[in-house]
Amino acid sequence: MLKVPTYVSESPIGGLGVFAGRDIEEGELVWEFHPKTVWTLTQEEVQALPERLQNLIYTYSYLFEGQWYFCVDNSRFMNHSDQANTLEDKSGVQGASNPLGRDRAVRKILKDEELTCNYKEFDQNWKDKLPS
């Protein structure tokens, strides 16, 4: 669940992106797992959906240890950057490979700046999403 105000708009990275609704300070909590805002689906559950919903899941979800995680808030529009302005923070999270963490700003993010994350850090499907 996004912990800061955001909005969705066209992204210079590609498609839609999520943008800061106000300045975000370095180290500030940007996103945190909440079970009511992230659907967790197995591959079998995704394959049982109509094709248009499967495509939605594959586009806007991340894959971790056989589970698809689909965020239902604006965070699903967060685009990739190798120099992302957010970083996963696993402090206080049970298990080193737990995908249910949180993200913090790695530097000050200005209002109207696109929020980005590094898909390579958590999405086992990143190679299918990023151009080669």
Side-chain angles (χ1 to χ4, degrees), residues 59-79:
T59 300
Y60 293 109
S61 297
Y62 62 94
L63 177 64
F64 186 83
E65 295 183 352
Q67 299 278 350
W68 291 93
Y69 294 85
F70 178 77
C71 298
V72 300
D73 65 359
N74 287 348
S75 62
R76 72 179 176 270
F77 297 109
M78 197 175 286
N79 283 316

Side-chain angles (χ1 to χ4, degrees), residues 30 78 84-88 103-106 109 115-118:
V30 174
M78 197 175 286
N85 55 21
T86 68
L87 180 65
E88 189 169 16
D103 296 330
R104 294 189 182 277
V106 297
I109 301 170
L115 300 176
T116 58
C117 58
N118 187 335

Side-chain angles (χ1 to χ4, degrees), residues 3-49:
K3 305 298 272 184
V4 296
T6 63
Y7 63 93
V8 174
S9 188
E10 287 186 48
S11 167
I13 296 171
L16 297 173
V18 62
F19 294 81
R22 64 160 170 80
D23 288 354
I24 301 168
E25 297 303 318
E26 181 177 346
E28 187 173 346
L29 185 62
V30 174
W31 181 89
E32 186 170 42
F33 177 82
H34 187 284
K36 297 291 186 188
T37 64
V38 181
W39 297 351
T40 305
L41 303 162
T42 65
Q43 183 64 37
E44 293 77 24
E45 289 172 320
V46 173
Q47 289 175 336
L49 296 170

